[in-house]
Amino acid sequence: MTVAWILKQKGRNVISAMPDTLVGHAVSLLERHNIGAVVVVDEQNRVQGIVSERDIVRILATEGPGALVEPVAGHMTRNVVVCTEHHSIDWLMEQMTMRRFRHIPVAENGRLAGIVSIGDVVKHKLAMAESEAAQMRQYIAAG
Ligand code: AMP
């Protein structure tokens, strides 16, 4: 099963921001859209970085509230691991587990084309397990 399957269910909309967006505005985006990360892109929609809830906690703990009026460019994670819609969901799980992050943006031809969170992966895995269990029950009932 690939990333394309998850995108088909959830859509390709991604909340993104430009590098000059203020950290405080990124916080508002996280709250307003009830999400865990904002992807930072340039004018061509190419991924430049990512700012997640965990970054906000780190920024506030290490630099204090003054950082809220600074651009995200100075605070975001720059080496973003991205995937394409052809990557397998198992590959995503492996990356998220090994590298300890919960978001992987999807890029197509270098442009942002979706995002998969750990919540999307868990939802998918649960649906798969439920469908397998239902098939098994049917098989047993059929004798
Ligand atoms: P998260 O678990 O997604 O809230 O992120 C934890 C840390 O990993 C934060 O510093 C994020 O900026 C960073 N991070 C999140 N997603 C990615 C990603 N796909 N590639 C690289 N770093 C990431």
Side-chain angles (χ1 to χ4, degrees):
M1 199 66 81
T2 65
V3 168
W5 197 88
I6 288 184
L7 293 182
K8 212 170 145 198
Q9 314 290 313
K10 70 170 280 193
R12 290 173 174 269
N13 187 38
V14 188
I15 304 302
S16 61
M18 303 287 277
D20 60 357
T21 302
L22 301 183
V23 172
H25 183 65
V27 171
S28 304
L29 290 175
L30 294 177
E31 189 277 332
R32 194 184 318 149
H33 297 281
N34 198 24
I35 53 171
V38 173
V39 181
V40 182
V41 293
D42 65 13
E43 283 91 351
Q44 279 79 45
N45 212 25
R46 289 179 301 223
V47 177
Q48 303 294 300
I50 190 164
V51 180
S52 84
E53 299 165 310
R54 200 161 290 176
D55 295 313
I56 301 297
V57 170
R58 171 182 50 77
I59 294 164
L60 290 176
T62 58
E63 301 185 36
L68 291 170
V69 291
E70 292 173 5
V72 290
H75 299 281
M76 65 193 186
T77 301
R78 287 180 179 275
N79 283 331
V80 184
V81 174
V82 297
C83 65
T84 71
E85 60 180 344
H86 306 296
H87 276 89
S88 73
I89 293 166
D90 285 346
W91 182 85
L92 291 194
M93 281 174 62
E94 199 181 298
Q95 295 300 311
M96 287 177 173
T97 307
M98 270 173 21
R99 299 175 187 253
R100 295 180 179 276
F101 51 58
R102 296 165 290 180
H103 302 88
I104 301 189
V106 185
E108 296 301 338
N109 302 317
R111 308 284 199 273
L112 181 61
I115 190 164
V116 180
S117 74
I118 201 162
D120 300 323
V121 171
V122 169
K123 196 172 154 190
H124 164 78
K125 281 282 164 189
L126 276 176
M128 290 291 287
E130 273 164 20
S131 132
E132 275 167 24
Q135 273 173 27
M136 198 61 83
R137 278 195 296 272
Q138 224 170 21
Y139 175 74
I140 291 166

